Amino acid sequence: MQPVKLTPPSAVAMIRPHQFRINPQTFADNSFQLDPQTMANTLQQQAFLQVTNVVGRLREIGVKVHLFEDNSSETPDSVFPNNWFSSHAQGTICIYPMYAKNRRKERRWDLIEQLKQQYSVNQLLDYSSMEEQHLALEGTGAMVLDHVNKQAYTVRSNRASTQVLQRFCADLNYSAQVFDASDERGVAVYHTNVLMCIATDFVLIGASMIRCSQQRAQIINQLQLSGRTVIELTESQIANFCGNALELQGENEAFLALSQNAYDALSVQQRGIIESFVCLLPLQVSAIEAAGGALRCMLADIHLAAIPLIDKRH
């Protein structure tokens, strides 16, 4: 079966942090994260500059970037907005419950209002009240969505409650593909989007980290049924954020945005396969990676239809 062609998103929302630091509240269950005491001041300056450079590079290739500033010292992970909201082609915006208490302060209604002014939004689904039941579903960090076949691939974790996932799937007509994944030490993968990336024509996945052979076969089979080329990543490549990538539509062609670290960790053969479908766009986000996320986590992809501009001259 050949995948239905949908244009990758050509717009994203990003947060530029002015007081970036590694979040101590997420250190316990994010094995990708460095110790919160690591080079705090240096990382703060680097993060600001690296986000600024990413914004500039994306705009150069024709991706629309809605940039918001964060001056707060209370929201160390605000650079990862895709965890607290997502948008969908039918005009829906979803707001998600967050696991760490200080991450709940990241939700910004000014961002949502700006999107509503520029895009057609007819439904707002707010699941954030489920935090009161100690439930979380951290957006497109916790879920990797196949927008064509309406599949929500989700690794079980503290950040991905099946109860919230069921609500999301029922509301948006998705099917949940829930599985377990862990590193060689047995530490659960905290977010699905560090394990896998679904693009139009291919999938990147650290399949070996799905330790149950039955689950692994089921997930691989489901991905192959979508007609996409499955590119398997090693555990070392996952640790270097090779699975944390996002396909974007530029002005003239599609790109796979990923960190420079991830690009360097891919083999020549893997790069060749990816480049048969899209252009690779490596971007330096080393400071952000210290907080346990990479480029995909920084990009809240916009799937909404833009409201046509009205020519006021007539």
Side-chain angles (χ1 to χ4, degrees), residues 27-306:
F27 184 60
D29 72 334
N30 183 344
S31 62
F32 292 77
Q33 187 175 315
L34 296 185
D35 188 291
Q37 304 303 318
T38 302
M39 301 178 295
N41 293 331
T42 304
L43 286 177
Q44 187 178 108
Q45 297 164 3
Q46 288 179 344
F48 182 89
L49 291 173
Q50 288 177 2
V51 171
T52 302
N53 291 337
V54 168
V55 171
R57 187 72 184 97
L58 291 178
R59 286 173 173 169
E60 282 177 9
I61 66 170
V63 174
K64 184 170 186 177
V65 180
H66 301 276
L67 180 63
F68 296 82
E69 308 292 338
D70 179 31
N71 292 289
S72 175
S73 62
E74 298 182 334
T75 49
D77 278 335
S78 63
V79 74
F80 304 132
N82 77 310
N83 295 161
W84 66 263
F85 90 95
S86 66
S87 65
H88 303 268
Q90 63 267 48
T92 299
I93 291 178
C94 297
I95 310 293
Y96 296 101
M98 306 293 283
Y99 180 65
K101 289 184 178 179
N102 63 2
R103 296 214 62 193
R104 299 169 189 178
K105 299 178 181 180
E106 295 173 26
R107 290 188 285 260
R108 294 180 56 153
W109 294 104
D110 61 327
L111 187 158
I112 300 301
E113 287 304 314
Q114 185 178 119
L115 294 182
K116 288 168 70 175
Q117 290 173 17
Q118 298 187 43
Y119 298 92
S120 178
V121 177
N122 52 46
Q123 183 176 222
L124 182 67
L125 299 175
D126 188 352
Y127 305 112
S128 61
S129 64
M130 298 182 80
E131 289 167 350
E132 298 170 8
Q133 304 169 52
H134 306 289
L135 302 175
L137 182 67
E138 295 188 345
T140 53
M143 303 178 290
V144 172
L145 301 177
D146 178 348
H147 296 282
V148 174
N149 298 294
K150 296 287 189 177
Q151 302 287 332
Y153 291 87
T154 310
V155 174
R156 287 187 183 89
S157 75
N158 296 327
R159 321 286 188 94
S161 161
T162 53
Q163 289 173 257
V164 192
L165 177 64
Q166 287 167 1
R167 282 270 302 273
F168 168 87
C169 288
D171 289 340
L172 277 80
N173 195 32
Y174 274 73
S175 296
Q177 298 290 335
V178 183
F179 56 100
D180 302 286
S182 61
D183 65 20
E184 59 187 5
R185 297 168 296 164
V187 178
V189 172
Y190 82 103
H191 270 168
T192 313
N193 78 356
V194 296
L195 185 78
M196 62 186 295
C197 161
I198 297 178
T200 302
D201 295 299
F202 63 93
V203 177
L204 302 171
I205 181 169
S208 65
M209 297 177 73
I210 306 174
R211 305 297 175 181
C212 171
S213 59
Q214 185 175 355
Q215 286 186 0
R216 183 167 60 250
Q218 180 181 340
I219 295 300
I220 293 295
N221 181 61
Q222 190 68 43
L223 293 169
Q224 289 174 335
L225 285 174
S226 74
R228 296 177 173 91
T229 297
V230 176
I231 303 169
E232 294 202 29
L233 303 172
T234 66
E235 187 163 338
S236 175
Q237 288 177 321
I238 293 297
N240 283 287
F241 295 103
C242 292
N244 196 243
L246 180 66
E247 184 184 25
L248 295 170
Q249 181 63 46
E251 186 175 1
N252 300 311
E253 54 197 334
F255 293 83
L256 186 72
L258 75 171
S259 73
Q260 184 66 54
N261 185 30
Y263 175 87
D264 292 342
L266 290 171
S267 71
V268 173
Q269 181 183 20
Q270 288 169 328
R271 290 179 202 163
I273 296 171
I274 295 168
E275 288 176 323
S276 70
F277 300 115
V278 296
C279 294
L280 281 164
L281 181 67
L283 297 164
Q284 183 58 256
V285 293
S286 56
I288 312 300
E289 289 175 325
L295 195 67
R296 195 276 172 264
C297 302
M298 299 164 59
L299 307 175
D301 35 323
I302 307 300
H303 294 268
L304 304 166

